[in-house]
Amino acid sequence: MQSIDLHGIVAYPITPFHDSDGSVDDKMLVRLIDRLIDSGVHAIAPLGSTGESAYLSESEWRHVVETSVGRVAGRVPVIVGISELTTAAAARRAVYAEQAGADAIMVLPTSYWKLGEEEVFQHYARIAAATGLPIMAYNNPATSGIDMSPELMIRMTREIDNVCMIKESSGDIQRMHRIHELSGGTVPFFNGSNPLALEAFAAGASGWCTAAACLIPEQTLSLYAAAQAGDMAAARATFYRQLPLLQFILKGGLPKTVKAGLRLSGLEVGAPRHPVLPLDAAGCAALAAILSAVTGEGASLAA
Amino acid sequence: MQSIDLHGIVAYPITPFHDSDGSVDDKMLVRLIDRLIDSGVHAIAPLGSTGESAYLSESEWRHVVETSVGRVAGRVPVIVGISELTTAAAARRAVYAEQAGADAIMVLPTSYWKLGEEEVFQHYARIAAATGLPIMAYNNPATSGIDMSPELMIRMTREIDNVCMIKESSGDIQRMHRIHELSGGTVPFFNGSNPLALEAFAAGASGWCTAAACLIPEQTLSLYAAAQAGDMAAARATFYRQLPLLQFILKGGLPKTVKAGLRLSGLEVGAPRHPVLPLDAAGCAALAAILSAVTGEGASLAA
Amino acid sequence: MQSIDLHGIVAYPITPFHDSDGSVDDKMLVRLIDRLIDSGVHAIAPLGSTGESAYLSESEWRHVVETSVGRVAGRVPVIVGISELTTAAAARRAVYAEQAGADAIMVLPTSYWKLGEEEVFQHYARIAAATGLPIMAYNNPATSGIDMSPELMIRMTREIDNVCMIKESSGDIQRMHRIHELSGGTVPFFNGSNPLALEAFAAGASGWCTAAACLIPEQTLSLYAAAQAGDMAAARATFYRQLPLLQFILKGGLPKTVKAGLRLSGLEVGAPRHPVLPLDAAGCAALAAILSAVTGEGASLAA
Amino acid sequence: MQSIDLHGIVAYPITPFHDSDGSVDDKMLVRLIDRLIDSGVHAIAPLGSTGESAYLSESEWRHVVETSVGRVAGRVPVIVGISELTTAAAARRAVYAEQAGADAIMVLPTSYWKLGEEEVFQHYARIAAATGLPIMAYNNPATSGIDMSPELMIRMTREIDNVCMIKESSGDIQRMHRIHELSGGTVPFFNGSNPLALEAFAAGASGWCTAAACLIPEQTLSLYAAAQAGDMAAARATFYRQLPLLQFILKGGLPKTVKAGLRLSGLEVGAPRHPVLPLDAAGCAALAAILSAVTGEGASLAA
């Protein structure tokens, strides 16, 4: 089984676009990556849901992979998100990520048609056969329409060589319990549901994959630190402080709200792509108030 | 408001692939289209869900549109399915469908991110601005992840010029009641849920969009004829006869089961694309038994 | 297997209470029963959900059974509703209903605890052993918390002598299809979901169990007549006319809205029991407007 | 606002029945209560769901209240469960509980009919007006069919004098977050979902209301102790050890599985009342294996 030491705060950068023509803004992308690494996050996950990868063309996607890996330059691990409708396209991107120097891939099965368990398994097996990279099986039924059971994911970690980590974003803590039970605690799992961050660490999660790190990196890191220290009271205190923001970005949609939050801090990252619309004025005002309360000061986010 | 006389059995062809290299099989595609039209269906809807359009490249998609419209050659209306993640890509395909000579488009909003009502509305409005074709708003939350309320769809028929028809595939008959109530019966609606075919006609549906016509065209047509005649007993009798097949293809997934059924009748249409797998042996045996019972004879489907 | 010729409009009377002390108003109860029978309904079902049987003491319940059966006096069949938490209490009531002269019982399993299939089966078997009356298995997960599959209910009609009819109130038309398929159309099923009345008849329902008959008896009867005649267009027309009322009473709760409707027509039937509150003023105004539109004249409901 | 110092492990005794005639077994009831208090639990909650209170007659219910309060005799607080269909019956029981000397009541709204927010509020207000006891608002939609939002429950703690605690059994950790947020952490909340015990403490729950204390009191107490100490790692370790039992009793139904577990330890507590059936042989074997693994030795449960 492939392996990689992944833990802690796994941060999702957004993909910034030029307002003029909607193309990827390279300069801002590298600035955002540096900002995250400087804040202390433990890994970078470009092209996750937050990165609007579903809305990028294949060439744009390749460009963002190359730019991100190049800029991180080994400072922290890079885990690249892949969620393609066809197995062939997903495998092609896995190959590309490996060639570009990524450390791992995070694969979300997604399909127009409801897939049976065997179809999902074969999808992963075929992608794994195409790459030597460690693979994180990623369950997120709300965005992908496919709900992988803990049983299926644990089976994949046993029967497919590269599949060695699980990310659970269903928001159901019982799934994490089940993953722990089925693997005797040996398969590392990551939480992708922001408002479950406290409890996922209580349940033993290795890390928290989050776009919140774009806006409040210190707070996400302090939650992880308290959890690592096993200090339940400190973890609870910092969690409840940042919870309003976590709820807001979940409910509003990550690219939309995180881009709005970055703009509030003075970073011109552009709008999300249609059909997603920018956060409206009322939403921006609410977000500003929440950010100010969470961080203790309005200006602290400016780069 | 744009208009088109669409009614009755709107048949979805599958997209046949060469087993050798997975490319689109043009010869078989035109044969399947001729077969449907010869059986008497009232319209052809290429590149719906059944046509695996989500799994085609943009150039393949264009090729299938062109081939289909050319082969139908005005014998019946052609309504082209469009379900793209970005608004820009959907609008581009709408323009292409119009240039190719399609009579209408059927637009399914689909998005990685949950869309708000305004985002869905703008998505349709932008596509409508790009084309003069009549647009069917298509609700299918199970495949698209977006659930459009009757209220939203009726609002679109009022405020967006080209949106003039609704297709409901949620399988909830109360949605059709609501569409009827909100529009005073003036907006034509189509049923896309196969096991609801009888009741949708009872509730006043203008037509039934179905892949079942690929396998049992006569039966789907006889249900429509009985409904048109207002004969509830005859409609019920033919519906219950074909229901086992309608349930089977819904549960098994349309491209997979319809392709298997066509192969059972001797048509080599190829396998669906990965991650979708071909129907397994047990499934094929079950399908053969159902088809035989529905049609009264095993051989009747051979071309 | 026990048998009874039950069909058409099976009307639920409400249970009227004196406003003074909340006790059952016998005079009004017999008046309501006469009114229903005079209007032409095909059967009377006292102590269904609409009759607030869950809120009556055992002695009140017995009194209402005795009064109802005595007043109907054989003019139409009487089917008594039973939904008790313990099997012992349900069996005791079945015995009482038989002694009082009821023609059948309608049994809704209900339980604080989720029941397994075998527990539900044994519940029915024990009740059936206590009485010689025909039993209608009644599925209504929204009120009872127990969802009986078509498979379980058909099994009960085969393995428990008295269970010979099914009432489906889940509102899912596919359940009715399944009942028809599993029994080859031999087990009569009744619809208990008001907004599904049209489609249930299209699917072959023997009757419609409804509290709407308290307010608009002629309309419910005309829907049944059109369905019996197999006239889909006439059935649809009368259905859509009464649909706003059917939706209103479902959404608002039957005892609350039906009692309010009867009061609007001048019948002082009292309020429902706490915790259910009477329909508020805005609700009464909305109901009056709907009734007026459905019946074509405001005054037509007065006794 | 009324107040009571309730915290920690709030244990639900089952209600034991004589196998001979199904009547309440007083001797065993007092033995079970003593056993729980001797083990160190922090409070006793007779006539909760686990106590089969829904299946007791009113006189049986009163008898169990009187016996329980008398036996506890002030050693720990007694909180009596009340879940009646009508407001009048619930208020009557509240009065009785107070007269019998209970320290608090735990009120679960339950209704045949879906209740609106105002109806639930009035239900509580009327019960509160009848008693001076502190009231715990208890949300358990799976058994009661009524889902009270955090907003409604917090409103009740503000506007109804006696309502001063919340029990959440929906199993949704986000509800607990919301209760904490809405009340600024001032309203104590208790967890009633066994497999959520670890995370509820992480989120700040004051206690855990559980029937598991009947079978594994030491383990439930050690989880609370670790949580009190803020030791996340120790809490996690003991939680995962007892989780298989917590899952088993939730899935199998509390009275059924807890009674089976007590019988396995040699206590003849009788069967649950019909329609609930005793745990079958396979279930008993599975339970024995789980208990043995959780407690480290098979015999440790014998009294």
Side-chain angles (χ1 to χ4, degrees):
Chain A
M1 191 164 86
Q2 286 291 330
S3 176
I4 174 181
D5 176 26
L6 198 70
H7 64 269
I9 301 302
V10 181
Y12 294 125
I14 54 97
T15 301
F17 299 122
H18 288 293
D19 264 338
S20 52
D21 62 356
S23 63
V24 175
D25 180 345
D26 286 0
K27 274 197 189 163
M28 183 56 78
L29 178 58
V30 301
R31 183 166 167 201
L32 292 171
I33 287 170
D34 284 350
R35 205 164 158 273
L36 284 167
I37 295 176
D38 293 347
S39 74
V41 302
H42 304 90
I44 296 284
L47 296 161
S49 315
T50 308
E52 292 176 77
S53 70
Y55 299 166
L56 301 183
S57 71
E58 187 152 347
S59 66
E60 288 175 323
W61 188 90
R62 291 183 173 217
H63 179 70
V64 172
V65 170
E66 199 169 8
T67 307
S68 301
V69 172
R71 186 64 177 199
V72 174
R75 290 179 284 173
V76 295
V78 175
I79 175 162
V80 172
I82 294 178
S83 79
E84 292 297 305
L85 281 164
T86 65
T87 305
R92 209 162 57 228
R93 294 198 175 185
V95 169
Y96 187 84
E98 185 168 14
Q99 288 168 350
D103 298 288
I105 53 175
M106 179 175 74
V107 176
L108 178 72
T110 180
S111 177
Y112 191 86
W113 295 101
K114 219 175 279 297
L115 296 182
E117 183 166 315
E118 195 54 30
E119 288 169 320
V120 172
F121 185 92
Q122 292 295 339
H123 182 68
Y124 274 93
R126 285 192 173 88
I127 295 167
T131 178
L133 290 178
I135 295 175
M136 179 186 282
Y138 174 18
N139 189 47
N140 193 349
T143 54
S144 74
I146 294 174
D147 194 356
M148 296 191 288
S149 67
E151 285 74 9
L152 172 57
M153 291 192 287
I154 290 295
R155 180 189 155 210
M156 295 199 300
T157 64
R158 289 193 179 128
E159 300 180 20
I160 304 176
D161 262 10
N162 315 13
V163 179
C164 55
M165 301 173 283
I166 291 175
K167 176 178 167 199
E168 242 300 335
S169 293
S170 69
D172 176 4
I173 191 75
Q174 304 302 332
R175 309 284 186 106
M176 297 184 183
H177 294 165
R178 193 80 186 121
I179 290 165
H180 178 98
E181 284 185 297
L182 287 167
S183 74
T186 61
V187 172
F189 62 89
F190 295 76
N191 170 44
S193 171
N194 285 312
L196 198 65
L198 170 65
E199 291 82 12
F201 281 131
S206 297
W208 174 19
C209 302
T210 181
C214 295
L215 300 177
I216 50 166
E218 295 82 2
Q219 281 87 342
T220 62
L221 288 159
S222 69
L223 175 53
Y224 177 65
Q228 277 294 93
D231 184 343
M232 205 184 268
R236 181 163 55 236
T238 187
F239 174 71
Y240 275 123
R241 187 160 185 201
Q242 63 195 282
L243 181 57
L245 181 70
L246 304 180
Q247 293 168 330
F248 188 89
I249 63 178
L250 176 69
K251 192 175 172 195
L254 295 175
K256 174 187 298 204
T257 56
V258 174
K259 285 192 163 179
L262 289 168
R263 283 176 145 179
L264 284 171
S265 73
L267 292 163
E268 277 310 321
V269 296
R273 285 195 172 163
H274 292 309
V276 178
L277 298 175
L279 191 63
D280 61 21
C284 287
L287 177 56
I290 289 171
L291 277 170
S292 177
V294 171
T295 59
E297 44 163 332
S300 76
L301 296 169
Chain B
M1 189 163 87
Q2 283 292 329
S3 175
I4 174 181
D5 176 26
L6 199 69
H7 64 270
I9 301 302
V10 180
Y12 294 125
I14 55 97
T15 301
F17 299 122
H18 288 293
D19 265 338
S20 51
D21 63 355
S23 64
V24 175
D25 181 345
D26 286 1
K27 274 196 188 163
M28 184 56 78
L29 178 58
V30 302
R31 185 167 165 198
L32 291 171
I33 288 170
D34 284 350
R35 205 165 156 272
L36 283 167
I37 296 177
D38 293 347
S39 75
V41 303
H42 304 89
I44 296 285
L47 296 160
S49 316
T50 308
E52 292 177 76
S53 68
Y55 298 165
L56 301 183
S57 70
E58 186 152 347
S59 66
E60 288 175 324
W61 188 90
R62 290 182 175 219
H63 179 70
V64 172
V65 170
E66 198 170 7
T67 306
S68 300
V69 172
R71 186 63 176 198
V72 173
R75 290 180 284 173
V76 294
V78 174
I79 174 161
V80 171
I82 293 177
S83 79
E84 292 297 304
L85 281 164
T86 64
T87 305
R92 209 162 58 228
R93 293 200 177 186
V95 169
Y96 188 82
E98 184 168 15
Q99 288 168 348
D103 298 289
I105 54 176
M106 181 174 73
V107 176
L108 180 72
T110 181
S111 177
Y112 192 86
W113 294 101
K114 220 176 278 298
L115 297 182
E117 186 166 312
E118 195 53 30
E119 288 169 321
V120 173
F121 186 91
Q122 293 295 341
H123 182 67
Y124 275 93
R126 285 192 172 86
I127 295 167
T131 177
L133 289 179
I135 295 176
M136 179 186 280
Y138 173 18
N139 189 47
N140 193 350
T143 55
S144 72
I146 296 174
D147 195 355
M148 296 190 287
S149 67
E151 284 74 11
L152 172 58
M153 292 193 286
I154 289 295
R155 180 188 156 211
M156 296 200 298
T157 64
R158 289 194 179 128
E159 300 180 20
I160 305 175
D161 261 10
N162 314 13
V163 179
C164 55
M165 301 172 284
I166 291 174
K167 177 178 166 197
E168 241 299 336
S169 292
S170 69
D172 175 4
I173 192 75
Q174 304 303 331
R175 308 286 185 105
M176 296 184 183
H177 293 164
R178 194 79 186 122
I179 291 165
H180 178 98
E181 283 185 298
L182 288 166
S183 74
T186 61
V187 172
F189 62 89
F190 295 77
N191 171 46
S193 172
N194 285 311
L196 197 66
L198 171 65
E199 291 81 13
F201 282 130
S206 298
W208 175 19
C209 303
T210 181
C214 294
L215 301 177
I216 50 164
E218 294 83 3
Q219 280 86 342
T220 60
L221 288 159
S222 69
L223 175 53
Y224 178 63
Q228 276 295 94
D231 184 344
M232 205 184 268
R236 180 161 57 235
T238 187
F239 174 70
Y240 273 122
R241 188 161 183 198
Q242 62 195 282
L243 181 57
L245 181 69
L246 304 181
Q247 293 168 329
F248 188 89
I249 63 178
L250 175 69
K251 192 175 172 195
L254 294 176
K256 175 187 297 204
T257 55
V258 173
K259 285 192 162 178
L262 290 167
R263 281 176 147 180
L264 284 171
S265 74
L267 293 163
E268 278 310 322
V269 296
R273 286 196 172 162
H274 291 309
V276 178
L277 298 175
L279 191 64
D280 62 20
C284 286
L287 176 56
I290 288 171
L291 277 170
S292 177
V294 171
T295 59
E297 42 162 335
S300 75
L301 296 169
Chain C
M1 190 163 88
Q2 285 292 330
S3 175
I4 174 180
D5 176 26
L6 198 69
H7 64 270
I9 300 304
V10 181
Y12 294 125
I14 54 97
T15 300
F17 299 122
H18 288 294
D19 264 338
S20 51
D21 63 355
S23 63
V24 175
D25 181 344
D26 287 0
K27 274 195 190 165
M28 184 55 80
L29 179 59
V30 301
R31 186 169 165 195
L32 291 171
I33 289 171
D34 284 351
R35 205 164 157 272
L36 284 167
I37 296 178
D38 292 347
S39 76
V41 302
H42 303 90
I44 296 284
L47 297 160
S49 316
T50 308
E52 291 177 79
S53 69
Y55 298 166
L56 301 184
S57 70
E58 186 153 347
S59 64
E60 288 176 323
W61 189 90
R62 291 183 174 217
H63 179 69
V64 171
V65 170
E66 199 169 6
T67 306
S68 301
V69 173
R71 186 65 177 197
V72 173
R75 288 180 284 174
V76 296
V78 174
I79 176 162
V80 172
I82 294 178
S83 81
E84 293 296 306
L85 281 165
T86 64
T87 305
R92 210 162 56 228
R93 293 199 177 187
V95 169
Y96 189 83
E98 184 168 13
Q99 287 168 349
D103 298 289
I105 53 176
M106 181 174 75
V107 176
L108 179 72
T110 179
S111 178
Y112 192 87
W113 295 100
K114 221 176 277 298
L115 297 181
E117 185 166 314
E118 195 54 28
E119 289 170 318
V120 173
F121 186 92
Q122 293 295 340
H123 182 68
Y124 274 93
R126 285 192 172 88
I127 295 167
T131 178
L133 290 179
I135 295 175
M136 179 185 280
Y138 174 18
N139 189 48
N140 193 349
T143 55
S144 73
I146 295 173
D147 194 355
M148 296 190 288
S149 67
E151 284 73 12
L152 171 58
M153 291 193 286
I154 290 294
R155 180 189 155 210
M156 295 199 300
T157 65
R158 287 191 180 130
E159 299 180 20
I160 303 175
D161 262 11
N162 315 12
V163 179
C164 55
M165 302 173 283
I166 292 173
K167 177 178 166 196
E168 242 299 336
S169 293
S170 68
D172 175 3
I173 192 74
Q174 304 302 333
R175 308 286 185 104
M176 296 184 183
H177 293 164
R178 194 79 186 120
I179 290 165
H180 178 98
E181 283 185 298
L182 288 166
S183 74
T186 63
V187 172
F189 62 90
F190 294 76
N191 170 45
S193 172
N194 285 311
L196 198 66
L198 171 66
E199 291 81 13
F201 281 130
S206 296
W208 175 19
C209 302
T210 181
C214 295
L215 300 177
I216 51 165
E218 295 82 4
Q219 281 86 343
T220 62
L221 288 160
S222 69
L223 175 53
Y224 177 64
Q228 277 293 94
D231 184 343
M232 205 184 265
R236 180 161 57 235
T238 186
F239 174 71
Y240 274 123
R241 187 158 184 201
Q242 62 194 283
L243 181 58
L245 181 69
L246 304 180
Q247 293 168 330
F248 188 90
I249 62 177
L250 175 70
K251 193 175 172 196
L254 294 176
K256 175 187 296 202
T257 55
V258 174
K259 285 191 163 179
L262 289 168
R263 282 176 146 178
L264 285 171
S265 73
L267 292 164
E268 276 310 323
V269 296
R273 285 195 172 163
H274 293 309
V276 178
L277 298 175
L279 191 63
D280 61 19
C284 287
L287 176 56
I290 289 172
L291 277 170
S292 176
V294 172
T295 59
E297 42 163 335
S300 76
L301 295 169
Chain D
M1 190 164 83
Q2 285 292 330
S3 174
I4 174 180
D5 176 26
L6 197 70
H7 64 269
I9 301 302
V10 181
Y12 295 126
I14 54 97
T15 301
F17 299 122
H18 288 293
D19 265 338
S20 51
D21 63 355
S23 63
V24 174
D25 181 345
D26 286 0
K27 275 195 189 164
M28 185 55 79
L29 178 58
V30 300
R31 185 169 168 197
L32 292 171
I33 288 170
D34 284 350
R35 205 165 158 271
L36 284 167
I37 296 177
D38 292 347
S39 74
V41 302
H42 304 89
I44 296 286
L47 296 160
S49 315
T50 308
E52 292 177 77
S53 69
Y55 298 166
L56 301 183
S57 70
E58 186 153 346
S59 65
E60 288 175 323
W61 188 90
R62 292 183 172 215
H63 179 69
V64 172
V65 170
E66 198 170 7
T67 306
S68 301
V69 173
R71 186 65 177 197
V72 174
R75 290 180 284 174
V76 294
V78 175
I79 175 162
V80 172
I82 294 178
S83 81
E84 293 296 304
L85 281 164
T86 64
T87 305
R92 211 162 54 228
R93 294 199 176 186
V95 169
Y96 188 82
E98 184 168 14
Q99 288 168 349
D103 298 289
I105 53 175
M106 180 175 75
V107 176
L108 178 72
T110 180
S111 177
Y112 192 86
W113 294 100
K114 220 176 279 297
L115 297 181
E117 186 166 312
E118 195 54 30
E119 289 169 320
V120 173
F121 186 92
Q122 292 295 341
H123 182 68
Y124 274 93
R126 285 192 173 89
I127 295 168
T131 179
L133 290 178
I135 295 175
M136 179 186 279
Y138 174 17
N139 189 47
N140 194 348
T143 56
S144 75
I146 295 174
D147 195 356
M148 296 190 289
S149 67
E151 284 74 10
L152 171 58
M153 292 192 287
I154 290 295
R155 179 188 155 212
M156 295 198 300
T157 65
R158 289 191 180 131
E159 300 180 19
I160 304 176
D161 262 10
N162 316 12
V163 179
C164 55
M165 302 173 281
I166 291 175
K167 177 178 166 198
E168 241 300 336
S169 292
S170 70
D172 175 4
I173 191 76
Q174 304 304 331
R175 308 285 185 105
M176 296 183 183
H177 293 164
R178 193 79 185 121
I179 290 165
H180 178 98
E181 284 185 297
L182 288 166
S183 74
T186 62
V187 172
F189 62 89
F190 294 77
N191 171 45
S193 172
N194 285 312
L196 197 66
L198 171 65
E199 290 82 12
F201 282 130
S206 298
W208 174 20
C209 302
T210 181
C214 295
L215 300 177
I216 50 166
E218 294 83 4
Q219 282 85 343
T220 61
L221 288 159
S222 68
L223 175 53
Y224 177 64
Q228 277 294 94
D231 184 343
M232 206 185 265
R236 180 162 57 236
T238 186
F239 173 70
Y240 274 123
R241 187 159 185 202
Q242 62 195 281
L243 181 56
L245 181 69
L246 303 180
Q247 294 168 329
F248 188 89
I249 63 177
L250 175 69
K251 193 175 173 196
L254 295 176
K256 175 187 297 203
T257 55
V258 174
K259 285 191 162 179
L262 289 168
R263 282 175 146 180
L264 284 170
S265 75
L267 292 163
E268 278 310 323
V269 297
R273 285 194 172 163
H274 293 309
V276 178
L277 297 175
L279 191 64
D280 62 20
C284 286
L287 176 56
I290 289 171
L291 277 170
S292 177
V294 172
T295 59
E297 42 163 333
S300 75
L301 296 168

